[in-house]
Amino acid sequence: VQLQACGGGLVQAGGSLRLSCAASGSIFEITAMGWYRQAPGKQRELVAQFSGRNTDYADSAKGRFTISRGNTKNTVYLQMNSLSPEDTAVYYCKADHRRTWGAAPTGYWGQGTLVTVSS
């Protein structure tokens, strides 16, 4: 499973960006898919994800970010509005993939896309 993420860039505070991530390869079932981020000097943290029937958001993302799916479950988007300098980070797409019925999912990471929010 390969994950291709794009959409990062430089934006001023208060602006918006949309990230996209597409999974490809020999896909049986993606059980979870979403976005994490890692700011300089900090640990990687969940931003938003689809997991089973649930949609999870970090508290910092609620009300500003929206995760959505494409026409297939293999593509997810992250619409980020009202960005602040605190959102500056490398954003990583992650997918949990099950390769057959009953198998435990394996996590896959995309290459990361840099989001820089200037004040």
Side-chain angles (χ1 to χ4, degrees):
V1 176
Q2 296 82 44
L3 299 175
Q4 182 66 45
C6 61
L10 174 64
V11 65
Q12 288 188 333
S16 299
L17 281 175
R18 188 187 193 216
L19 307 181
S20 63
C21 178
S24 62
S26 182
I27 295 172
F28 179 74
E29 182 188 16
I30 291 178
T31 59
M33 191 167 179
W35 295 93
Y36 287 68
R37 70 185 182 185
Q38 188 166 18
K42 295 188 177 180
Q43 290 189 331
R44 194 171 297 188
E45 62 178 3
L46 173 70
V47 178
Q49 70 171 358
F50 293 112
S51 179
R53 296 182 179 181
N54 298 324
T55 304
D56 304 315
Y57 287 96
D59 288 343
S60 59
K62 291 177 182 177
R64 300 187 302 129
F65 296 0
T66 302
I67 189 170
S68 61
R69 281 195 173 106
N71 291 332
T72 71
K73 284 191 174 181
N74 299 341
T75 302
V76 293
Y77 304 97
L78 185 67
Q79 178 67 41
M80 304 186 292
N81 298 327
S82 302
L83 285 161
S84 72
E86 288 70 34
D87 296 313
T88 295
V90 178
Y91 284 70
Y92 295 92
C93 179
K94 181 178 184 284
D96 294 336
H97 175 255
R98 178 183 289 136
R99 57 187 176 86
T100 187
W101 294 116
T106 299
Y108 293 86
W109 293 92
Q111 81 280 12
T113 183
L114 177 62
V115 172
T116 303
V117 185
S118 63
S119 58

